Amino acid sequence: MDDSCLFCKIIQGTIPADKVFETDQVLAFKDINPVAPVHVLIIPKRHLASLNELSEGDHEVAAGIFDAARRLGAELPELGGEYRLLTSCGESAGQVVPHLHFHLIGGRRLNWPPG
Ligand code: 5GP
Ligand code: ZN
């Protein structure tokens, strides 16, 4: 828990969020500013600033994130199993919130490359 971290506050419940999936390790909630019909953020409950802070032993956290993505991809009817999962690591890559998060985006045709 990082007292100054927005996503830690969402985990603690001091800032509200529209949660869609939760385990002991992982929370998934709707992005406040969606870029597609489905835009969910999947985060570890333990504060890690970015993927760079994930340790070699953090298999459960990594598996929990991918498991949440796979389940949501299968269960959210707008997706039909088709979606993009991405994380931005560092400011120049586009990371704004310094708590590791994966964007699960879909429900429309997505372009490549991103900006
Ligand atoms: P980043 O740019 O760091 O990869 O993504 C941060 C994401 O967090 C953005 O898509 C932004 O819309 C989302 N976000 C920022 N503040 C809040 C908030 O208070 N609640 C929710 N649900 N999403 C937020
Ligand atoms: Zn945090």
Side-chain angles (χ1 to χ4, degrees):
M1 171 75 184
D2 176 333
D3 288 338
S4 64
C5 172
L6 176 65
F7 288 173
C8 283
K9 288 177 184 163
I10 286 177
I11 293 161
Q12 294 301 308
T14 53
I15 290 179
D18 196 348
K19 298 178 184 178
V20 294
F21 182 74
E22 186 169 12
T23 67
D24 286 350
Q25 301 261 7
V26 167
L27 177 66
F29 54 95
K30 292 184 181 176
D31 196 291
I32 203 168
N33 187 22
V35 300
V38 173
H39 188 169
V40 169
L41 300 172
I42 304 172
I43 67 173
K45 288 188 172 175
R46 177 157 59 91
H47 180 84
L48 299 165
S50 75
L51 196 57
N52 287 340
E53 290 195 357
L54 198 72
S55 302
E56 280 184 26
D58 284 332
H59 297 150
E60 267 192 66
V61 174
I65 288 168
F66 280 104
D67 201 47
R70 181 186 53 75
R71 290 177 65 143
L72 289 166
E75 290 169 10
L76 294 175
E78 303 97 315
L79 295 179
E82 300 194 350
Y83 56 89
R84 183 174 293 165
L85 181 69
L86 66 92
T87 189
S88 302
C89 190
E91 191 189 346
S92 71
Q95 184 178 10
V96 174
V97 178
H99 181 127
L100 174 61
H101 54 280
F102 284 75
H103 298 256
L104 179 79
I105 296 167
R108 66 166 171 81
R109 178 158 288 278
L110 300 171
N111 298 318
W112 193 264

